[in-house]
Amino acid sequence: MSEQKTPAVTPDPEIIYTDKRRVSCDGGGGALGHPIVWYALDDGEAECGYCDRKFIYKGDAH
């Protein structure tokens, strides 16, 4: 009898809302992180090329 394998489920990328126009990402730091990269949110959002975190500009927080 053969075993059926279930496909791996990939979690949705983390979404981070910010009031900054320039953000950095290190993948969470530590051994599981990645080099620090910076993104400009001139278009309102950016996605990390390493870990797929999505940064969304939400305007000035008051």
Side-chain angles (χ1 to χ4, degrees):
M1 187 170 194
S2 65
E3 276 186 48
Q4 286 188 339
K5 295 184 180 182
T6 25
V9 176
T10 306
D12 291 334
E14 180 179 6
I15 297 176
I16 299 173
Y17 296 94
T18 181
D19 62 345
K20 310 278 189 234
R21 286 285 190 176
R22 185 167 156 86
V23 296
S24 67
C25 185
D26 64 2
L32 300 177
H34 58 68
I36 295 175
V37 289
W38 288 88
Y39 297 100
L41 304 181
D42 296 335
D43 294 332
E45 61 183 56
E47 192 170 310
C48 179
Y50 284 97
C51 67
D52 295 332
R53 276 184 178 165
K54 188 172 194 174
F55 296 89
I56 298 176
Y57 178 71
K58 291 304 273 186
D60 297 326
H62 295 289

